[in-house]
Amino acid sequence: MEFPAWIVDRVIARQGTLHPYSRFDARRTAFVVVDLQNYYTQPGYLGECAPARATFGKVNALASVLREAGGTVVWVQTCSDGADSFWSHHHAYMLTPERSARRLLELGRSHPGFHLAPGLDARPEDPRVVKRCYSALVPGSSTLDEVLKERGIETVLIGGTVTNVCCESTARDAMMMNYATVMVEDALSAATTEEHVHSLNNWMLFFGDVLTVDEVGKRLRA
């Protein structure tokens, strides 16, 4: 991804280089794939982000490379069961009653919308984590932090959808919990190109690195 000159200048002034990580130890690296469920990727669902479908090939490619190098791939799924209680403000004030009802239904664990989308190379050995809200790492949302710590993970690569909501929220918390955190540009998607780019520009300015799947692959050390 090419950044505006003013972003490049500010990042280099802050940290001395545009991209801070020259190598990743695959054994201590996890690719955290956020919300590539039917609800967020398939036509007809309330949460559909149509551009997400175009990222499946890149997501699968990075997952394969990282597994072969000895790393971990984690699939994160949102579940709405009980969200009208534990996330009552969101459902009562941030959504219309009709949208709230559809979200509660289509993201329920027993609904097809909860399932990972077809075409994703999710393996039986890959950990799966269920989260309750945008960030998988906010207290009480999921067991992602425990899963990462059990495997000695130090670097978190973020892919999935949508870039500027659940992916960025999870990534920000990861960075502030002391994980080296990278947003993988071509393994992410948002509803519009503008939202995707604005999110990654802001991420680069303050939080971590932005790399492509190929750039991550070149930095992986088995």
Side-chain angles (χ1 to χ4, degrees), residues 60 63-64 67 75 119-123 126:
N60 289 342
S64 178
R67 284 192 205 98
W75 301 89
L120 294 170
D121 184 23
R123 304 284 180 86
D126 298 340

Side-chain angles (χ1 to χ4, degrees), residues 46-65:
L46 176 66
E48 180 195 0
C49 175
R53 296 190 288 274
T55 68
F56 288 5
K58 291 291 188 178
V59 168
N60 289 342
L62 181 53
S64 178
V65 167

Side-chain angles (χ1 to χ4, degrees), residues 163-164 168 183 194-203:
T163 307
N164 54 315
E168 183 178 349
M183 295 283 270
E194 290 79 8
E195 290 169 271
H196 178 74
V197 171
H198 290 167
S199 176
L200 295 180
N201 282 344
N202 191 59
W203 171 263

Side-chain angles (χ1 to χ4, degrees), residues 26-27 29-32 66-67 70-74 126-127 147 151 153:
R27 296 166 302 172
T29 299
F31 180 29
V32 176
L66 184 57
R67 284 192 205 98
T72 300
V73 180
V74 183
D126 298 340
V147 168
R151 289 161 174 76
I153 299 300

